[in-house]
Amino acid sequence: MTLTLPRRATAEFTGTALLVAAVVGSGIAATTLSPTDVGLQLLENAIATALALGALILTFGPVSGAHFNPVVSAVDWWLGRRAGTGLDTRELAAYVVAQLAGAITGTVLAHLMFGLPAAAWSRTGRGGGHLWLAEVVATAGLVLLVFALARSGRASAAPAAVGAWIGAAYWFTSSTSFANPAVTVGRAFTDTFAGIAPASVPGFVAAQLAGGLVAVAALAAWYPRAADTADDVVMPHLTRETELR
């Protein structure tokens, strides 16, 4: 029996956990270091998140592809299901469970590193059509980017490109670019700068899923054979047929 899927799932768990720890932890640090300047807090949070995301893609990309995002994994499954590439249904389920569990663990880790209680429900409401539209845009752009890079043979640029997109989208979207259902769920467990109230989570997740659908439509128009390179999303990685030794 191959060990590929357990290795990939644990990479997705750990990578997502460290990503959320970076988001939440840098938010806590920012409010401590710059308590009266929200703009500077956001800048500090965005830079730390973008840099951490790039480093984590480099670390875990060769093992699992470094999806760290259920929408990316779902689109990978959807596009590759007929071409025999990307994730199969079992792998998709393993990835999504690992990502969600990792996101919650990452919040707990960030809290413990800063001497806070392990978890606390956020009281920061984030709702409204403008925020949901922002999440559609941020998620669609992210998904389109990673599949376009793979299809055009530039997956090696993903660490820098994905980090750049998320870092920029912190600033040009009103939602500050969550763009990830797992990260959204994880951030519901922190009542700090990065938090989102549990009641606001469903709206954000729905918008992110809609963004994934927009990206699928865009890929059909601009990269109609994107499924051929689904195994290279976000980076070339272990598949059912291959295993690093």
Side-chain angles (χ1 to χ4, degrees):
M1 178 180 176
T2 180
L3 295 178
T4 298
L5 183 54
R7 289 172 67 181
R8 292 157 66 194
T10 55
E12 286 295 300
F13 170 87
T14 306
T16 308
L18 292 174
L19 173 60
V20 174
V23 173
V24 175
S26 63
I28 297 169
T31 55
T32 301
L33 296 171
S34 310
T36 62
D37 192 333
V38 177
L40 185 55
Q41 292 170 9
L42 184 62
L43 178 62
E44 293 161 347
N45 191 210
I47 291 174
T49 299
L51 292 176
L53 181 55
L56 291 169
I57 292 172
L58 284 171
T59 302
F60 296 105
V63 181
S64 68
H67 293 188
F68 309 150
N69 188 328
V71 175
V72 172
S73 297
V75 173
D76 191 60
W77 165 79
W78 177 259
L79 292 179
R81 72 196 190 286
R82 293 179 181 174
T85 58
L87 302 178
D88 64 22
T89 303
R90 174 170 167 264
E91 292 167 331
L92 173 62
Y95 268 48
V96 171
V97 170
Q99 291 156 358
L100 291 170
I104 296 170
T105 301
T107 295
V108 172
L109 176 61
H111 279 207
L112 294 178
M113 287 193 294
F114 282 90
L116 300 176
W121 293 118
S122 174
R123 292 171 291 178
T124 304
R126 301 177 189 262
H130 64 296
L131 297 181
W132 299 332
L133 175 60
E135 283 300 292
V136 172
V137 171
T139 308
L142 172 64
V143 175
L144 177 61
L145 171 64
V146 297
F147 281 89
L149 289 173
R151 183 66 188 94
S152 58
R154 297 174 295 159
S156 61
V162 172
W165 174 262
I166 293 298
Y170 255 84
W171 289 91
F172 75 76
T173 65
S174 57
S175 64
T176 66
S177 181
F178 286 45
N180 184 328
V183 169
T184 304
V185 170
R187 290 171 67 165
F189 288 81
T190 180
D191 194 23
T192 63
F193 180 80
I196 177 173
S200 299
V201 169
F204 265 56
V205 171
Q208 291 154 2
L209 294 175
L213 293 176
V214 170
V216 168
L219 289 166
W222 298 328
Y223 294 90
R225 298 192 62 182
D228 293 349
T229 51
D231 285 335
D232 295 339
V233 173
V234 171
M235 291 182 65
H237 54 280
L238 299 179
T239 67
R240 293 181 292 280
E241 291 76 31
T242 65
E243 184 172 351
L244 294 177
R245 299 186 183 277

